[in-house]
Amino acid sequence: MLTSPGVRYITVALCWVVAALAIKPFYAYVDFGAFYATAIDRILAGRPLELYSFVLRPGGDDLAIPLSYPPVWFFYLTPWYALGQALGLSDFHHQSGVSWGQAWMLAVTVPFDLVLCAAVVRLSEGAKRLAEPGRLGLFACLLFSPLLWLSSVRYGHSESVMIALVLLGIWAGERRHPVWSGLFWGLAFGIKTTAIVPALIYFGWGLGRQRRGAVTISGVVGAAVFLVPLLPYLILRREQVVYALYGFEQIRPIGGYVLWKLIPEPSSLLSYSNFVILGTAAALGLALSRRSGTSFLASGGAWALVVGQAAILLFGRALFVWYPWAASCFLFLAVAYDEGA
């Protein structure tokens, strides 16, 4: 019964989905309850421009924490959220404990986790298909990674969606479909602006000969896809959206096990955090631009993505579990691609 490769992949995927959906109701998370649900409520109330008008002050703190993501993801979630409400679910705003509403929302986002794992496997093959059962093993290792469970299931974060779109953008570029590549890159930015790190590497590589035209098309399309949904906010709610997507990051307190905590007085150096991360990504892209050929991955692009993500882990102001999840995806891709080559 399970001798067909397709059936084995479907079985592994279904086992993961069933386990994820069985666990999720008991792990409501503050980000969805406090931010995502509030943003979606405002869209459903006919006030989409008010996405960035509310802030959270935990424990009466003076720090105003905004909704710090672009609007695309929330518009995608809105119809599913509304359908959940129509089915009688009303506990979307729970920040801890049990939430069947947040489990429902996981059900409509798990396809992105499956797409991400499949994209890593497919991209790692290059021109040569990986042999079974190693190919299935790679897929299963990604899917059952504790980092994926924590990022997507426990915390309901959108990192997998962003990484999947980044890899689809690379996949389309490898197959010389620059418009599709730009579409995926623009959507990746529309999910999380941290897509700037892999983008600087990819588009920096695109400055090399033989690929400038195609990558320029991708860049223009990607910029348009990212900016068009954001324009109403930039025009009518500029102060709010600039604080949410840029200003808050400049004053975010350090958190987690980051290198900055080893420095006695890190405040004077924290302003250089983003400069170091973005500078590292840009330098990697420029280094790759000197390589010939039209394949980003054959030029060492996957390893450059690993280094770029490592820069976020090392120099970011805060360390969240979804950052090492992104790094592990790029690392799996780099190692498997080299093995296949």
Side-chain angles (χ1 to χ4, degrees):
M1 181 69 178
L2 297 180
T3 56
S4 168
V7 172
R8 289 199 293 266
Y9 283 92
I10 292 172
T11 301
V12 169
L14 285 177
C15 287
W16 183 84
V17 170
V18 170
L21 294 179
I23 292 172
K24 180 58 182 175
F26 307 100
Y27 288 101
Y29 184 52
V30 64
D31 276 13
F32 195 101
F35 292 103
Y36 291 23
T38 302
I40 296 170
D41 282 341
R42 297 194 174 199
I43 295 173
L44 290 174
R47 296 183 289 129
L49 288 176
E50 303 303 318
L51 282 185
Y52 302 103
S53 65
F54 68 94
V55 294
L56 182 67
R57 298 181 187 273
D61 200 320
D62 290 336
L63 180 66
I65 303 176
L67 180 71
S68 55
Y69 303 106
V72 169
W73 182 236
F74 306 105
F75 281 95
Y76 166 76
L77 293 177
T78 296
W80 305 105
Y81 184 97
L83 180 57
Q85 287 184 324
L87 294 173
L89 299 173
S90 59
D91 55 359
F92 294 98
H93 284 274
H94 285 194
Q95 298 179 26
S96 61
V98 176
S99 173
W100 294 100
Q102 291 187 33
W104 163 259
M105 298 307 294
L106 177 67
V108 302
T109 61
V110 289
F112 291 102
D113 297 303
L114 301 177
V115 168
L116 169 58
C117 297
V120 172
V121 172
R122 190 65 191 92
L123 276 173
S124 67
E125 294 179 311
K128 181 181 178 182
R129 185 180 177 89
L130 295 175
E132 298 289 2
R135 189 175 189 269
L136 178 62
L138 174 59
F139 179 76
C141 283
L142 284 162
L143 196 57
F144 286 91
S145 166
L147 293 173
L148 173 58
W149 279 82
L150 288 170
S151 176
S152 294
V153 181
R154 171 64 180 87
Y155 297 119
H157 202 68
S158 58
E159 191 78 9
S160 287
V161 185
M162 185 270 286
I163 307 169
L165 290 166
V166 164
L167 293 182
L168 288 173
I170 294 172
W171 175 83
E174 295 284 287
R175 282 149 185 79
R176 302 185 184 183
H177 299 302
V179 174
W180 280 103
S181 178
L183 173 65
F184 289 129
W185 277 107
L187 289 174
F189 271 102
I191 299 300
K192 287 192 68 180
T193 52
T194 50
I196 185 66
V197 173
L200 283 172
I201 297 171
Y202 181 80
F203 288 98
W205 164 82
L207 295 175
R209 295 180 181 179
Q210 300 177 291
R211 45 190 187 258
R212 289 175 189 164
V215 173
T216 298
I217 294 172
S218 296
V220 171
V221 173
V225 170
F226 170 64
L227 288 173
V228 167
L230 204 57
L231 277 178
Y233 300 94
L234 291 172
I235 295 171
L236 301 173
R237 298 290 189 274
R238 181 179 302 175
E239 184 177 347
Q240 293 174 2
V241 76
V242 168
Y243 174 71
L245 301 185
Y246 174 76
F248 175 69
E249 189 60 34
Q250 306 309 305
I251 62 172
R252 177 195 290 274
I254 58 175
Y257 299 98
V258 294
L259 285 180
W260 301 111
K261 286 191 172 181
L262 300 177
I263 302 173
E265 294 293 335
S267 57
S268 60
L269 297 175
L270 279 176
S271 59
Y272 297 101
S273 171
N274 289 339
F275 176 80
V276 172
I277 294 170
L278 299 180
T280 300
L284 289 166
L286 291 175
L288 290 181
S289 71
R290 302 177 63 86
R291 299 196 173 186
S292 59
T294 57
S295 171
F296 174 73
L297 296 176
S299 299
W303 286 109
L305 294 176
V306 174
V307 176
Q309 202 65 28
I312 295 179
L313 293 172
L314 290 172
F315 303 112
R317 289 171 175 260
L319 180 58
F320 302 106
V321 70
W322 36 89
Y323 292 159
W325 164 236
S328 69
C329 288
F330 296 144
L331 183 60
F332 268 106
L333 173 59
V335 173
Y337 185 87
D338 284 357
E339 290 292 325

